[in-house]
Amino acid sequence: MGGVREFAAPFVVPGPCGVAVRDRFKHLTSRDEMVLRAVGEHQGALASRDLRARCADGLEHSAQTWASRKRDLTKESSSRIAGAITKATHDQWALARRCQAAHIQTLAAGIRTLRHRLSLPVGEKGTKRAAGGYRSKGEWFHKSRRLAALEARHATAVAEWQAGRVGVVRGGRRLLSTRHHLAEAGLAEGQWRERWEAERWFIAADGESGKRFGNETIRVTPDGEVSIRLPAPLAHLANAGHGRYVLASRISFAHRGVEWADRIAANRAVAYRIHLNVDRGRWYLTASWQRPAIPTMTLSAARARGMIGVDTNADHFAAYHLDRHGNPIGDPRRFGFDLSGTAGHRDAQLRHALTRLIHWAERVGVAAIGIEDLDFTTEKTREKHGRRKRFRQLISGIPTGKLKARLVSMAAEHGLSIVAVDPAYTTLWGAQHWQKPLVTPHRTMSRHDAAGIAIGRRALGHPIRRRTAPPPHDRSDRAGHRTAQAGPGDRGREGTRPPTTDRPPGGPSPNGTRTREPSASNTVRDAPSTQQWDQDSLTHTG
């Protein structure tokens, strides 16, 4: 096994720490929509101004500058609204900072690959671990120009990182670029403008424990009444006391409604966000809160009742059920999905496939699901895969990050744990050791199904290889035990077969049944000889 890299140990993925539910506002009056639009526009302008100030501070940001920004916003809104805006601004700046660091790492990986391939002779073949040289002098020249371009972009990105400058677009950079391609997007300028303004609105409030119903700015009562504390410049629009506006629509959370009701009854913090879906023309309210930290199941407890190994692919999950010893049970299962179309369609397909997987795990009685800890960040560059555009698109289409987040949160609701394993060699070794032995006239095995077995065995702590290397001398254990065998406490691990020569021919067997006597052989070679051969030297003389 020389050259095989060291594997990371399996671990139980921590459970989710937050919950979010959403419901639709129904039967809103025209005045309700007018007030919501006015609040969103006013607070959205304050958020844009605060984000500009935060980006200008850069690395010089401190608690004093944060407090100063909050005081400036409080004059035009309220202390609670100003706190929510400054916190959202800081989170948005921090996200842009992390994305900038990831972009720098991607550029550095591409530069390393280009430098390596340019240093090789033209036409030199590559290996499984490293790419070879370029195929022609023309390609070598174009790649040398691309190297210079990437180095310039990398130097610019590093300089911006060191200076603390980030690029942030309130409303989304993709929607901003759509403004220049309205015909391709099938939108009129008015439609795009409406989407752009709705995305830049800010109607949100953080929860406060101890306050009435867990939120003072956006308050939702147990019977579903929603009221908003208006900012100071819009106080004249209030229809209730203390500068509040009560909406005509009622809210009832069908999903996790009992948990939400328990929180607001105890005056525990609940954050709310109101937003408009321009395509549907509907207003929604999203409620979110944090859960107390739940102790993670130990790895030994997750392995006690077996495991389901799941191999993630671009269009399906290949799953296999294994017992606690790592033996496959039954037939492989596949849960397909289609990741084409809109983001909502892709998300629905992923949730539907994960729901079927979790329900099957509950039926077979396992406590955990084993998945690969995938990360294709360094695998999608064109410098590494060259002209294999379809392969790069295939890797980019696998929803690794969203899959892990969705699976962990959904499995936690059903009492299941997720065990993440190192993805190295799972497909290769699964196909080598498990694909062919499990093929039957009524069962077909793909390399993805075999990879599910490999992932499950690694999650259980067993080696992937189906057969173990024999001792070097003979079948005894003179030179030591085999590389993998049953533990000392497993019954029958060194048992012998029951004797079969302790009964007379044709007599009863140990289970009480009679056996047929051995029949005479029909071949001359096996028949007993009854003729006596005598060779006399005198008879051959003459």
Side-chain angles (χ1 to χ4, degrees):
M1 303 298 291
V4 177
R5 71 171 179 85
E6 185 178 355
F7 305 137
F11 63 94
V12 180
V13 181
C17 60
V19 174
V21 294
R22 188 181 69 173
D23 193 22
R24 173 191 170 190
F25 284 111
K26 298 180 180 179
H27 311 299
L28 284 176
T29 64
S30 58
R31 180 174 176 80
D32 292 343
E33 293 194 16
M34 184 270 295
V35 171
L36 290 177
R37 290 175 180 272
V39 173
E41 291 176 1
H42 176 74
Q43 297 182 168
L46 298 181
S48 299
R49 187 202 312 171
D50 184 67
L51 180 61
R52 181 177 57 192
R54 175 65 186 90
C55 293
D57 291 340
L59 299 179
E60 303 298 328
H61 173 72
S62 63
Q64 290 75 19
T65 58
W66 193 331
S68 176
R69 290 176 14 237
K70 183 177 178 180
R71 285 193 298 268
D72 295 339
L73 294 176
T74 302
K75 300 175 184 178
E76 303 184 50
S77 55
S78 68
S79 177
R80 292 184 176 88
I81 295 176
I85 291 176
T86 53
K87 182 179 180 300
T89 297
H90 183 75
D91 293 342
Q92 193 170 6
W93 186 91
L95 176 61
R97 183 79 170 170
R98 293 193 298 270
C99 293
Q100 188 180 45
H103 178 59
I104 292 175
Q105 293 179 359
T106 302
L107 291 176
I111 291 173
R112 286 194 301 268
T113 303
L114 284 173
R115 286 177 177 173
H116 169 71
R117 299 192 67 181
L118 289 172
S119 64
L120 300 176
V122 175
E124 181 172 338
K125 295 184 178 180
T127 62
K128 291 183 178 180
R129 297 183 178 275
Y134 292 108
R135 294 185 292 182
S136 63
K137 292 183 178 180
E139 185 178 8
W140 188 97
F141 174 77
H142 288 299
K143 292 300 181 180
S144 66
R145 295 299 85 204
R146 176 164 175 78
L147 174 61
L150 290 185
E151 288 176 342
R153 291 164 55 185
H154 181 264
T156 303
V158 170
E160 292 180 349
W161 166 266
Q162 294 175 350
R165 294 192 300 269
V166 297
V168 184
V169 179
R170 288 201 70 249
R173 185 170 299 179
R174 179 174 299 179
L175 184 58
L176 177 62
S177 63
T178 305
R179 175 64 181 85
H180 306 286
H181 307 279
L182 295 179
E184 299 176 7
L187 296 175
E189 184 177 353
Q191 295 174 327
W192 177 88
R193 179 66 59 181
E194 188 177 3
R195 289 187 182 185
W196 176 251
E197 293 176 352
E199 290 294 332
R200 291 169 63 87
W201 290 344
F202 187 92
I203 314 177
D206 297 331
E208 298 176 88
S209 294
K211 297 297 181 179
R212 189 179 182 187
F213 304 129
N215 199 308
E216 190 68 20
T217 303
I218 300 178
R219 181 182 297 167
V220 184
T221 62
D223 59 353
E225 182 184 85
V226 182
S227 62
I228 304 174
R229 179 68 179 270
L230 298 177
L234 302 178
H236 61 281
L237 299 176
N239 61 358
H242 306 287
R244 307 190 70 88
Y245 186 89
V246 180
L247 299 176
S249 177
R250 296 297 177 111
I251 286 293
S252 60
F253 295 106
H255 182 55
R256 304 184 192 275
V258 176
E259 186 177 354
W260 167 81
D262 292 341
R263 290 192 66 87
I264 64 173
N267 295 329
R268 300 176 64 186
V270 179
Y272 294 104
R273 174 177 175 263
I274 300 175
H275 64 281
L276 170 65
N277 189 321
V278 177
D279 296 335
R280 297 183 177 182
R282 299 176 179 177
W283 291 85
Y284 293 91
L285 174 68
T286 302
S288 58
W289 59 89
Q290 289 184 346
R291 282 181 168 180
I294 302 176
T296 304
M297 181 184 297
T298 62
L299 190 58
S300 58
R303 294 169 171 173
R305 291 183 289 169
M307 189 78 60
I308 287 181
V310 180
D311 181 48
T312 305
N313 302 282
D315 58 351
H316 73 281
F317 298 134
Y320 221 119
H321 178 207
L322 287 78
D323 62 14
R324 65 186 184 92
H325 302 290
N327 301 314
I329 301 176
D331 295 329
R333 299 291 297 270
R334 300 176 187 177
F335 305 93
F337 49 82
D338 180 16
L339 295 182
S340 62
T342 62
H345 175 264
R346 294 194 300 268
D347 187 65
Q349 287 282 310
L350 190 62
R351 284 188 283 109
H352 182 55
L354 291 178
T355 300
R356 290 183 291 151
L357 171 63
I358 291 174
H359 288 173
W360 179 55
E362 288 183 315
R363 289 196 299 270
V364 299
V366 299
I369 298 174
I371 63 172
E372 295 175 301
D373 190 13
L374 294 173
D375 185 11
F376 292 132
T377 303
T378 60
E379 301 292 330
K380 295 182 290 188
T381 60
R382 51 188 285 193
E383 284 74 29
K384 182 170 184 178
H385 297 291
R387 294 180 174 86
R388 303 170 64 186
K389 184 176 181 180
R390 294 189 62 183
F391 181 72
R392 298 201 313 267
Q393 293 176 345
L394 179 65
I395 294 178
S396 300
I398 299 179
T400 55
K402 184 177 293 186
L403 166 65
K404 288 186 286 188
R406 284 277 186 197
L407 182 57
V408 169
S409 60
M410 295 174 65
E413 298 301 319
H414 296 267
L416 298 173
S417 297
I418 304 300
V419 179
V421 302
D422 195 310
Y425 312 110
T426 52
T427 302
L428 177 64
W429 289 352
Q432 178 182 354
H433 296 283
W434 292 97
Q435 182 178 5
K436 185 177 180 180
L438 291 178
V439 173
T440 65
H442 303 285
R443 178 199 294 146
T444 58
M445 285 284 296
S446 68
R447 60 200 308 261
H448 302 299
D449 300 328
I453 299 176
I455 294 168
R457 287 183 63 87
R458 183 168 286 176
L460 289 167
H462 300 306
I464 296 179
R465 292 184 299 171
R466 188 175 63 90
R467 289 185 177 274
T468 58
H473 297 315
D474 49 38
R475 291 188 177 182
S476 67
D477 287 342
R478 183 180 299 112
H481 295 289
R482 293 177 179 265
T483 54
Q485 62 183 33
D490 294 327
R491 295 173 57 87
R493 68 187 186 93
E494 294 181 353
T496 58
R497 294 181 179 179
T500 58
T501 58
D502 296 342
R503 63 179 186 271
S509 62
N511 57 7
T513 61
R514 297 186 62 85
T515 59
R516 181 174 58 86
E517 293 186 3
S519 59
S521 175
N522 295 326
T523 62
V524 176
R525 177 181 301 175
D526 296 334
S529 177
T530 57
Q531 183 179 4
Q532 299 294 331
W533 297 92
D534 185 16
Q535 182 176 355
D536 192 350
S537 59
L538 297 177
T539 59
H540 296 281
T541 60

